[in-house]
Amino acid sequence: MAGTLASVPQIITLVFILFQPQVWLNSVNQKNKAALAEWLKNSKVELLQVNGQRKYGGPPPGWFGEAPPLGSEIFIGNLPQEVYEDLLIPLFQSVGKLYEFRLMMTFSGLNRGFAYARYCSRRMAEQAIDQLCGFEIKPGFKILVCRSTEKSELALDGLPGFITKATLEGILGKMTTGVHSVSLYASPSSDAKNLAIVKYNSHRAAALAKKSLCEGVQVLYGCPFTVDWLQHSLRHKAQAGTLAKPNLYLPQKVQEKNISQETMAPSAVQCLDLLCEKVKLGQPLYKIKFLSLGTCGWLRFWYLVLIPKHGVPFTGYSWLLGDQLIPTEKYQQAKEMVAMHVLNELGKCLVFSFNKRKYNRLKSNSGQMGFWDLEEKYHDPKM
């Protein structure tokens, strides 16, 4: 009985913590958090919490000019989770002036066991590796210090061949920042398409560019393309000169009157309408809001698609090139791109196949272009 009564305060405390998570977060590592606060107050150092990391500098106070070159950043591993910048920054500042220090953080306020430090020069970074790798920061904790793998190149594959290097530089210059160079090659994976290798001034600029380019639907002039970090194999081929020269061609303008109804392919919007009709999801409802237009014709927009019986709306950001389009054409192009994205997402829960034989029979009977019949099974995520 005494044991049961003794556990009641513990149960009350646990319930209180569950419903007051901030109280628990503040109770973790209180001593070191207080020491950090005192150090920040005395040193006048400012830290900024951004996306799971706490950052100093980038640039530091009093810095003028461009950011340090690639190769000036180091990786710091095997950190005790309870140590903070009040111990780490002075330690790494003892080697040379820091341009930036980033400590990876958990939601509880502990660090994740690693950090990145960028010095003002490559020489300082090399000295930090020589002097601090293996340093015992606390009993039993010898830290790892090595050169950071700073990815700064992106590969854009599947680009249409009529986009020139100058055009692509203009597009990327408006969509991203820190573009250092753009190189065009023939795509090794898609016929008549091109591959662009885009180098940025820093890993941060490249990471932000990748995030921006991957938002929404990656379609350029009707051609879907992929965005990823440049792989070592492609970099070696580019350096060795074994990648083929880019495909260059001009798109042929086909008059609408020369396209018969039988040869016109169904649009993504039509395909989505038919798919939703077949699986009885209801008619898709679109909401599109254009946000900004760059000087090179890049048009950014936000979209929301509601499918009545799907339950979860589709929303996000995307962009298109259409500075010469009238408003209705811009809306139709954006709607088509969004429909392509929704079809792709629905493909994760819909398994369907095209019955070409039934399609041919339908076409021969009606004499008109019809959709391929869909034989599908709808997989409800809730089931």
Side-chain angles (χ1 to χ4, degrees):
M1 185 69 177
T4 304
L5 292 174
S7 65
V8 170
Q10 297 175 357
I11 295 174
I12 294 174
T13 302
L14 177 61
V15 172
F16 179 76
I17 288 174
L18 290 175
F19 286 93
Q20 298 288 335
Q22 191 60 46
V23 174
W24 176 76
L25 294 179
N26 292 338
S27 68
V28 175
N29 204 21
Q30 285 182 321
K31 181 179 178 181
N32 287 357
K33 286 180 180 178
L36 172 65
E38 184 67 20
W39 177 77
L40 291 174
K41 179 180 178 181
N42 296 333
S43 64
K44 308 298 182 183
V45 169
E46 294 184 359
L47 300 178
L48 178 64
Q49 184 89 24
V50 181
N51 297 331
Q53 61 181 344
R54 202 157 57 199
K55 187 179 77 167
Y56 158 76
W63 179 270
F64 296 98
E66 297 182 355
L70 293 175
S72 58
E73 185 176 78
I74 60 173
F75 170 81
I76 308 159
N78 199 32
L79 290 173
Q81 282 196 283
E82 67 273 14
V83 302
Y84 294 129
E85 291 87 346
D86 58 317
L87 178 61
L88 297 172
I89 289 180
L91 174 63
F92 286 89
Q93 284 271 34
S94 66
V95 177
K97 183 175 177 59
L98 285 174
Y99 175 82
E100 182 181 65
F101 187 90
R102 295 182 291 126
L103 182 62
M104 305 301 116
M105 303 298 295
T106 68
F107 74 96
S108 65
L110 296 173
N111 77 65
R112 293 171 58 192
F114 65 98
Y116 295 90
R118 169 165 284 188
Y119 286 92
C120 297
S121 68
R122 294 190 184 97
R123 183 178 58 82
M124 291 181 185
E126 292 169 356
Q127 288 177 349
I129 295 172
D130 292 338
Q131 296 180 25
L132 297 178
C133 187
F135 178 80
E136 192 169 22
I137 195 167
K138 292 191 75 175
F141 285 91
K142 292 185 178 181
I143 59 175
L144 167 69
V145 182
C146 61
R147 189 178 298 278
S148 171
T149 304
E150 299 179 82
K151 297 179 180 179
S152 61
E153 294 171 300
L154 299 180
L156 280 59
D157 197 7
L159 298 173
F162 56 82
I163 292 186
T164 64
K165 176 182 175 181
T167 301
L168 186 59
E169 287 175 342
I171 295 170
L172 294 173
K174 291 297 178 182
M175 297 181 61
T176 65
T177 58
V179 176
H180 181 270
S181 64
V182 176
S183 302
L184 276 179
Y185 304 93
S187 171
S189 58
S190 303
D191 293 337
K193 299 293 178 63
N194 285 336
L195 164 76
I197 296 178
V198 186
K199 185 172 183 178
Y200 286 84
N201 293 331
S202 66
H203 169 73
R204 177 177 174 79
L208 291 174
K210 183 175 182 292
K211 181 178 182 296
S212 177
L213 291 170
C214 287
E215 284 183 344
V217 189
Q218 293 93 55
V219 178
L220 196 59
Y221 289 116
C223 297
F225 66 95
T226 61
V227 181
D228 205 348
W229 293 111
L230 180 65
Q231 300 298 317
H232 291 296
S233 58
L234 278 178
R235 181 184 294 108
H236 293 328
K237 289 180 180 179
Q239 292 172 347
T242 58
L243 287 177
K245 293 182 179 180
N247 297 299
L248 297 175
Y249 64 91
L250 294 176
Q252 296 181 350
K253 294 184 178 180
V254 183
Q255 297 296 329
E256 186 177 351
K257 63 181 180 180
N258 294 330
I259 303 177
S260 65
Q261 188 178 7
E262 292 187 353
T263 60
M264 289 182 63
S267 68
V269 173
Q270 291 173 314
C271 289
L272 181 59
D273 288 345
L274 179 64
L275 186 62
C276 291
E277 178 185 344
K278 282 284 185 178
V279 297
K280 297 180 174 58
L281 291 177
Q283 187 73 16
L285 302 175
Y286 297 82
K287 185 175 182 180
I288 294 173
K289 182 179 180 180
F290 293 102
L291 303 176
S292 60
L293 176 65
T295 57
C296 65
W298 164 61
L299 186 61
R300 184 176 175 82
F301 64 89
W302 169 86
Y303 65 86
L304 173 69
V305 181
L306 295 173
I307 299 178
K309 294 185 179 179
H310 184 261
V312 180
F314 298 90
T315 184
Y317 294 89
S318 190
W319 50 271
L320 57 85
L321 292 171
D323 56 331
Q324 302 299 323
L325 298 176
I326 61 176
T328 54
E329 290 175 336
K330 293 177 182 177
Y331 178 80
Q332 290 302 326
Q333 281 201 14
K335 187 176 178 181
E336 182 73 6
M337 292 170 63
V338 171
M340 289 174 61
H341 174 65
V342 175
L343 281 169
N344 180 62
E345 291 298 312
L346 282 177
K348 297 175 183 177
C349 56
L350 287 171
V351 179
F352 63 91
S353 63
F354 289 105
N355 188 333
K356 192 171 184 179
R357 183 175 58 183
K358 186 174 286 188
Y359 159 73
N360 289 333
R361 185 170 67 250
L362 176 64
K363 181 179 177 182
S364 61
N365 291 339
S366 64
Q368 295 181 350
M369 175 66 181
F371 292 101
W372 289 0
D373 186 63
L374 293 172
E375 296 178 351
E376 69 287 293
K377 296 178 182 179
Y378 177 62
H379 296 272
D380 191 338
K382 297 178 182 179
M383 296 178 63

